[in-house]
Amino acid sequence: MVRKMGVYAVLAYVIYGLFFYWYLFHFADSSLPFEYQGTKADPATFLNGRELMLSEEYSKIRNLLFFLSTPFEWLFYFLILLFGFSKAFKSWAESSSKYKLLQTAIYLIWLSFFAFLATLPLSYISYNLSKTYNISTQTFASWMKEELIDFWINYGTLMIIVPVLYWLMKKSVKRWWLYAWILSVPFTLFMMFLQPVIIDPLYNDFYPLKNKELETKILTLADKAKIPAEHVFEVNMSKETNSLNAYVSGIGSNARIVLWDTTLNKLSDDQILFIMAHEICHYIENHIYIGIALYLLFSLFGLYLTYRIMNWMIARYGKELKIPDVKDIRSLPLFFMIISMLLFASSPLSNLISRYEETRADRYAINMTQNPEAAITSFQELTRSGLTQVNPPLLVKIFRYSHPTMLERISMLEEFEVQQRK
């Protein structure tokens, strides 16, 4: 039975992968509708032939990697349970220490290490793809350093969450999911507060914007929006990527405006001001706080569904999965697998909400700056630097795009430009 379940799981993953390969490379059509051809949203008007070809190639492969990566995690956790690795990790932990907390730490290091090794090849393929298409400028050593930073941050976070989670499971068999959610609220807010000043600097160097004239212009926009930021920060992303980005991060007194140095190097002041006005809208319309609230709401339903699904699966397949009880730490891979599945299933809705907020931010930015030419050319440069598809396939948009497509964004700006001329 165990071998049969393993074969079926691998076969299901292979069929799933073949479907998305066929969909992305042979079925989906990313060409522009006739009415948009020749407009400023048409990549043929601002990309050369080689850039057009590379954009299509890179996007297809990158999208395939996305659709393969998340279900691969499910397969990994399922096989870890099915072939007794989770049981073995617990046995090793118990034989290594008599203290419960240390046993949990040992179990987690084994599970985290195996998960790291299993997902590293796909991560490397993604990194190598970006290097091949000149998106990434990062050295292998720098990339590996960030992978290891991710590993230890994730491990440290799990060492906070997992002991509390399983303590709650033992204390309240029927309500652990609710108590876990209640504790997650202050933890989430605390991590959001720490993110810009503690976690982000582990990856890159942040420093005040060197261009003081541009900083003054940005802070003038920020002041109109009542953003409590005294400085604009620059981050040295050019050592890692040729892509462009800017954002407002943090909450409360830790809120900060951040520009990638690639953005500063490739865009004019007017283009940057449009992008910053877009980011400012997120702040003044409380999109950060709305996002936190929605995340907490989704996590409440997610934890409840996880509770129900875990109980059902262990009652029905506990013997095959080597899990005697939900509150046994051997069930942790099952917990991770279900959470990952629910996140993937909910991504179309969360992306839809995000695209709505991003559309509002685009409209706010163009109304604030009144410079459609700078806005349009900034999106065209974003497309070029990231080799982004202007009109991605439907499933890619639904599952991947937290922002409107470039076709939608540039077309909206062109409509504003036409209205402005009247």
Side-chain angles (χ1 to χ4, degrees):
M1 180 64 176
V2 169
R3 183 178 297 178
K4 187 180 293 186
M5 290 174 70
V7 169
Y8 286 160
V10 172
L11 186 60
Y13 180 73
V14 170
I15 292 171
Y16 165 90
L18 289 173
F19 167 78
F20 272 102
Y21 176 82
W22 167 78
Y23 174 78
L24 293 169
F25 286 84
H26 299 289
F27 178 78
D29 183 11
S30 60
S31 61
L32 260 63
F34 175 78
E35 62 268 25
Y36 293 104
Q37 293 177 12
T39 67
K40 292 179 180 179
D42 187 347
T45 63
F46 60 89
L47 299 180
N48 60 41
R50 176 172 171 76
E51 288 170 335
L52 283 169
M53 179 192 70
L54 292 177
S55 174
E56 282 300 307
E57 285 182 0
Y58 176 68
S59 295
K60 286 177 180 178
I61 301 171
R62 185 182 59 173
N63 290 332
L64 179 62
L65 283 173
F66 166 80
F67 283 111
L68 291 178
S69 296
T70 303
F72 181 78
E73 291 180 24
W74 312 342
L75 179 64
F76 166 77
Y77 287 125
F78 184 70
L79 295 180
I80 282 283
L81 290 168
L82 204 60
F83 293 109
F85 285 99
S86 185
K87 181 181 178 181
F89 297 158
K90 184 184 178 184
S91 297
W92 297 342
E94 288 177 341
S95 64
S96 301
S97 175
K98 63 180 180 179
Y99 299 105
K100 282 289 183 183
L101 186 60
L102 194 53
Q103 288 175 5
T104 301
I106 295 168
Y107 175 91
L108 284 174
I109 198 69
W110 278 112
L111 181 61
S112 299
F113 177 69
F114 273 74
F116 178 78
L117 288 182
T119 56
L120 190 63
L122 280 175
S123 297
Y124 177 75
I125 291 170
S126 181
Y127 158 74
N128 193 52
L129 177 70
S130 296
K131 287 281 287 186
T132 302
Y133 284 86
N134 201 35
I135 304 298
S136 173
T137 58
Q138 193 173 24
T139 64
F140 175 80
S142 174
W143 172 78
M144 197 67 218
K145 176 187 172 184
E146 291 197 353
E147 290 291 307
L148 292 173
I149 290 173
D150 281 346
F151 174 86
W152 288 112
I153 288 177
N154 290 336
Y155 178 73
T157 304
L158 289 176
M159 272 304 299
I160 297 171
I161 294 172
V162 171
V164 175
L165 178 66
Y166 278 83
W167 179 78
L168 291 173
M169 286 178 175
K170 290 172 184 176
K171 291 294 181 181
S172 179
V173 176
K174 294 184 178 180
R175 295 285 182 269
W176 63 262
W177 59 274
L178 179 60
Y179 300 139
W181 178 80
I182 291 170
L183 290 176
S184 75
V185 175
F187 181 76
T188 299
L189 295 175
F190 181 67
M191 292 301 291
M192 287 288 295
F193 186 78
L194 288 185
Q195 181 81 30
V197 294
I198 301 296
I199 298 175
D200 289 347
L202 292 174
Y203 296 89
N204 298 98
D205 298 324
F206 290 77
Y207 39 85
L209 184 61
K210 297 172 186 174
N211 187 337
K212 296 303 176 185
E213 183 181 348
L214 177 59
E215 182 183 50
T216 300
K217 293 177 182 177
I218 293 172
L219 289 176
T220 300
L221 287 178
D223 185 60
K224 290 179 182 177
K226 296 183 172 57
I227 292 181
E230 297 179 0
H231 298 287
V232 179
F233 287 84
E234 185 177 334
V235 57
N236 60 332
M237 290 299 296
S238 56
K239 67 178 183 179
E240 296 184 12
T241 182
N242 286 316
S243 296
L244 313 180
N245 198 15
Y247 57 89
V248 177
S249 71
I251 58 175
S253 60
N254 276 0
R256 58 167 54 177
I257 301 169
V258 180
L259 279 162
W260 286 10
D261 61 346
T262 51
T263 304
L264 294 165
N265 296 337
K266 293 183 179 181
L267 299 185
S268 68
D269 284 7
D270 286 342
Q271 291 171 324
I272 291 170
L273 288 175
F274 168 78
I275 290 172
M276 293 314 300
H278 169 102
E279 299 301 330
I280 284 169
C281 176
H282 289 315
Y283 186 92
I284 66 169
E285 293 199 357
N286 295 313
H287 290 169
I288 293 173
Y289 296 100
I290 292 171
I292 293 172
L294 288 172
Y295 166 78
L296 292 173
L297 181 63
F298 284 178
S299 66
L300 175 61
F301 286 107
L303 283 169
Y304 174 70
L305 288 174
T306 301
Y307 154 75
R308 296 300 298 266
I309 296 169
M310 282 184 76
N311 283 340
W312 176 80
M313 285 198 69
I314 292 173
R316 181 155 185 171
Y317 300 108
K319 183 179 178 181
E320 289 81 2
L321 299 177
K322 284 83 174 174
I323 306 173
D325 198 285
V326 170
K327 59 181 177 287
D328 190 299
I329 198 166
R330 282 179 279 180
S331 69
L332 186 60
L334 179 61
F335 178 85
F336 286 157
M337 183 180 76
I338 295 169
I339 288 289
S340 179
M341 287 178 165
L342 292 176
L343 283 172
F344 187 77
S346 65
S347 61
L349 178 57
S350 59
N351 284 339
L352 181 64
I353 295 169
S354 178
R355 287 196 298 271
Y356 170 76
E357 292 178 341
E358 295 295 338
T359 299
R360 287 189 62 84
D362 283 347
R363 293 188 183 281
Y364 173 90
I366 193 59
N367 285 320
M368 186 181 221
T369 59
Q370 294 289 313
N371 193 339
E373 184 61 28
I376 290 170
T377 52
S378 68
F379 282 144
Q380 290 174 339
E381 186 56 41
L382 281 167
T383 302
R384 178 183 291 106
S385 64
L387 293 180
T388 307
Q389 282 180 310
V390 170
N391 186 35
L394 180 61
L395 289 180
V396 174
K397 176 182 174 181
I398 289 172
F399 282 95
R400 288 209 68 190
Y401 273 57
S402 58
H403 290 61
T405 67
M406 286 301 180
L407 174 61
E408 293 166 336
R409 303 180 90 170
I410 296 175
S411 298
M412 183 272 288
L413 293 170
E414 281 196 288
E415 290 175 11
F416 179 88
E417 195 173 32
V418 170
Q419 293 294 324
Q420 196 180 48
R421 289 172 183 166
K422 291 182 179 179

